[in-house]
Amino acid sequence: MSKIPALRELDDGTRIGVRYSEGYISFVTWDDESKETLRAAFDTEDILWRRGRKESFVEGLDNHLELACYDLLYVGIATETDSYSRLIQKGHTARQQILSDEPQRYPGARVSDEIFLMLFNADPLLIKSWGAEDDIEGEDVLMSYSNERLVKDAEKAFIAILKPPYNKQLYSNYPKGKDGNYGQGYTGYSYSLSDGIVLRTPFGSMKGARESYMTMSNDADFISIKGDSVTLHIAGSDRELDASTPFSGS
């Protein structure tokens, strides 16, 4: 690792500096006796992730989506166990197939080093609206949902739209189904990615985004479901694409 001169000096005389290498950047301090203390360290993916979440200490890097672009190979949920047990401990079938069949993306790299397991959490925002003539009773303002239905429905939505190559079931009848949100009384619902990344498949790509103060952003593409209609809305574009129409990357 190399070191550049101190970025600044604190009131107590402590100096702050940076060490950097091809894969890491770290912040260190030195006291009056030149004793060095590591304060924080970040690798490439960490910097991209934090930039995608608009964290204030990462400035510039406006082309981060070109770097935080991942081939989406498989989408799945753990219904009877946790994700670690399903993917790692028990040797998930699709994961093993990906390791054996996928070509390396970078010459000399191992496929196992190029794979990222991304674990997502469903964080719903529920909205009800009333008109001037509506009578509102106490139970009308109560808002509840089934997390199990939400997660299962989100899985099917992303698979139906993006068609990851290692998902054998592509849910061509989505949004219809007995275990999702279909028929649960919603006027409409949508899904987006609350991280500044791009998920790409041979069928197309979907980009996520968020603001520094909230998990939503107008810069994020989103899947919209109204009745039997499923469309992908591309942020910054007027395009609306249904689940059966091939589309180019956003």
Side-chain angles (χ1 to χ4, degrees):
M1 258 190 187
S2 300
K3 181 173 66 177
I4 64 173
L7 298 178
R8 61 178 299 183
E9 186 170 316
L10 303 182
D11 293 338
D12 62 0
T14 302
R15 294 168 294 158
I16 301 176
V18 172
R19 285 192 178 276
Y20 62 91
S21 67
E22 183 175 341
Y24 292 90
I25 182 171
S26 60
F27 294 88
V28 299
T29 59
W30 299 281
D31 58 20
D32 290 337
E33 299 179 355
S34 296
K35 180 182 178 181
E36 181 179 305
T37 302
L38 177 65
R39 298 299 181 179
F42 309 94
D43 64 10
T44 304
E45 300 301 327
D46 192 21
I47 291 293
L48 288 175
W49 180 77
R50 292 175 182 275
R51 174 61 180 85
R53 290 193 159 208
K54 295 187 177 180
E55 294 197 6
S56 58
F57 79 93
V58 182
E59 297 181 355
L61 199 58
D62 293 333
N63 66 334
H64 67 282
L65 285 180
E66 298 177 19
L67 304 174
C69 186
Y70 304 90
D71 292 335
L72 180 64
L73 302 176
Y74 180 83
V75 173
I77 59 175
T79 55
E80 298 179 359
T81 183
D82 59 84
S83 297
Y84 172 81
S85 298
R86 185 168 186 254
L87 293 172
I88 307 297
Q89 196 172 39
K90 296 182 179 180
H92 189 268
T93 301
R95 178 172 172 267
Q96 297 302 319
Q97 185 180 0
I98 290 170
L99 288 172
S100 62
D101 294 352
E102 277 297 301
Q104 62 192 48
R105 300 300 194 269
Y106 187 82
R110 296 183 299 178
V111 174
S112 59
D113 293 335
E114 295 181 315
I115 291 178
F116 293 86
L117 302 178
M118 297 185 177
L119 306 182
F120 291 95
N121 178 56
D123 185 14
L125 171 65
L126 306 179
I127 298 176
K128 284 187 177 182
S129 61
W130 294 271
E133 303 301 323
D134 292 333
D135 293 326
I136 304 174
E137 298 181 359
E139 61 182 17
D140 293 330
V141 299
L142 298 178
M143 306 182 75
S144 62
Y145 71 99
S146 168
N147 188 70
E148 182 178 358
R149 283 186 175 276
L150 173 63
V151 172
K152 288 182 177 180
D153 198 272
E155 176 201 26
K156 293 177 182 178
F158 278 87
I159 293 174
I161 282 289
L162 293 176
K163 297 177 173 55
Y166 288 88
N167 280 95
K168 296 180 180 180
Q169 173 60 269
L170 298 180
Y171 302 107
S172 58
N173 291 326
Y174 181 81
K176 295 180 179 180
K178 296 181 179 180
D179 58 356
N181 287 327
Y182 188 79
Q184 295 301 300
Y186 296 114
T187 303
Y189 44 101
S190 63
Y191 299 105
S192 62
L193 297 167
S194 291
D195 283 288
I197 61 175
V198 177
L199 299 181
R200 176 177 59 190
T201 70
F203 191 74
S205 64
M206 182 176 177
K207 66 178 178 293
R210 67 185 294 161
E211 300 300 327
S212 58
Y213 53 89
M214 64 187 302
T215 58
M216 297 185 299
S217 172
N218 290 332
D219 295 329
D221 301 338
F222 65 95
I223 302 170
S224 175
I225 302 95
K226 292 183 179 179
D228 294 344
S229 174
V230 183
T231 55
L232 175 66
H233 294 250
I234 306 299
S237 170
D238 294 331
R239 287 183 296 164
E240 295 184 7
L241 307 154
D242 63 43
S244 63
T245 304
F247 58 96
S248 60
S250 56

